[in-house]
Amino acid sequence: MLLRWNSLVALGDSFTEGMDDPGPGDTYLGWADRLASMIAQNAPGFRYANFAIRGKMLQEIIDEQVPLAISLKPDLVTFCGGGNDILVPNSDPDALAEVYEVAVADLRAAGCDVVIFTGFDTRSTPLLRSLRGKVAIYNAHLWSIAERYHCRMVDLWSMHVLHDRRAWSADRLHLSPEGHQRVALKAAEVLGLTNDQAWSEPWPALVHTDWVTQRKADLKWAREHVVPWIGRQLRGESMGDGLVPKRPELLPFALCAEES
């Protein structure tokens, strides 16, 4: 099956960079690299770049990554942002969506097909359940944007398989390798790629954990991941400070893999 897309640029934050899906060397693999590999199998000469950097806020993604993508004129762009903004107290999902829409309009005006992503349903994550309302409002806007600009949508909210803790890494904010694979398969489905694997395949039965063990795990998680995150926010720091994109050039996918 030959596809009409011969190039892909991925834009975003840690989700698109691929945390916590270890790749070659000190890099991360992630759903975007996995998706690019799937497309490359059906598109000879396929080129790929990934500008995503962990910790980026939506406006930073738009200012730093969107113009670069437009200048390269790729056939396909994946654009996911706003998750870090939603985590900030008093952030406004309506205002975020207005900013997001301008970027989508610019990408579409440049002739790129665009894939966008809803936010995850946070109901299964302690401390983040209170954000469900904001995420839902933001998602509603994103669906409207997708319709207005004829974008393809990867609906992460509806992916119930991601409510399993095995889909997430120890910090409960980033996907595990299996979680990234599920998202890659979902994105591939949205693009019309056929695959022997199914993103919705049920997980094997999970061994039950008693209440005390679960609470100890929650406390450990809060101490090791939540408290440091709050500290960075208070200091105005980001995990991505000083980092550069892992795939900053639109290169044939085979060369991307060799340089990793």
Side-chain angles (χ1 to χ4, degrees):
M1 176 182 63
L2 293 177
L3 302 177
R4 70 170 184 267
W5 302 292
N6 292 308
S7 54
L8 164 65
V9 173
L11 311 177
D13 50 30
S14 59
F15 168 65
T16 303
E17 183 185 351
M19 294 178 72
D20 281 317
D21 182 9
D26 295 326
T27 66
Y28 291 105
L29 189 60
W31 68 264
D33 287 17
R34 292 170 180 270
L35 175 64
S37 178
M38 295 177 195
I39 299 176
Q41 294 173 23
N42 298 282
F46 177 73
R47 296 178 299 150
Y48 172 55
N50 188 323
F51 298 152
I53 295 178
R54 69 199 74 169
K56 290 297 182 181
M57 310 298 274
L58 178 60
Q59 192 64 59
E60 291 178 306
I61 295 169
I62 292 171
D63 292 343
E64 300 168 10
Q65 301 176 25
V66 170
L68 285 174
I70 290 173
S71 71
L72 294 174
K73 301 185 182 302
D75 301 323
L76 183 65
V77 172
T78 63
F79 177 34
C80 185
N84 290 319
D85 301 78
I86 292 291
L87 292 172
V88 176
N90 301 319
S91 59
D92 183 351
D94 299 313
L96 284 174
E98 290 179 5
V99 174
Y100 191 101
E101 181 167 358
V102 173
V104 169
D106 289 344
L107 290 165
R108 293 293 287 136
C112 307
D113 284 342
V114 178
V115 179
I116 63 179
F117 298 73
T118 68
F120 295 102
D121 184 352
T122 61
R123 69 181 182 188
S124 301
T125 308
L127 300 185
L128 298 184
R129 293 189 188 101
S130 61
L131 298 176
R132 287 189 82 206
K134 276 207 300 188
V135 177
I137 292 171
Y138 191 49
N139 286 351
H141 284 299
L142 295 180
W143 275 107
S144 297
I145 292 168
E147 183 176 359
R148 282 194 292 274
Y149 295 93
H150 306 289
C151 302
R152 295 170 185 258
M153 173 65 84
V154 178
D155 186 6
L156 300 174
W157 181 282
S158 70
M159 292 182 66
H160 298 300
V161 293
L162 299 182
H163 292 300
D164 191 290
R165 66 173 181 255
R166 288 167 289 186
W168 298 89
S169 67
D171 69 4
R172 305 185 188 180
L173 291 173
H174 300 103
L175 293 169
S176 66
E178 179 63 23
H180 277 286
Q181 177 67 4
R182 300 278 183 145
V183 171
L185 290 168
K186 175 67 171 179
E189 178 183 275
V190 168
L191 291 174
L193 276 69
T194 57
N195 200 292
D196 293 336
Q197 297 176 282
W199 64 264
S200 57
E201 183 71 24
W203 295 84
L206 190 62
V207 176
H208 175 71
T209 304
D210 64 81
W211 185 89
V212 172
T213 301
Q214 290 180 29
R215 298 296 76 77
K216 287 181 178 179
D218 290 343
L219 290 172
K220 183 175 185 290
W221 167 69
R223 182 175 62 253
E224 295 182 358
H225 299 286
V226 177
V227 172
W229 181 85
I230 293 173
R232 288 194 298 271
Q233 293 297 309
L234 293 174
R235 294 189 298 271
E237 299 174 354
S238 168
M239 295 174 65
D241 288 345
L243 296 182
V244 296
K246 63 178 182 178
R247 301 185 188 277
E249 299 180 73
L250 190 57
L251 296 173
F253 184 78
L255 291 179
C256 292
E258 290 172 3
E259 293 183 1
S260 295

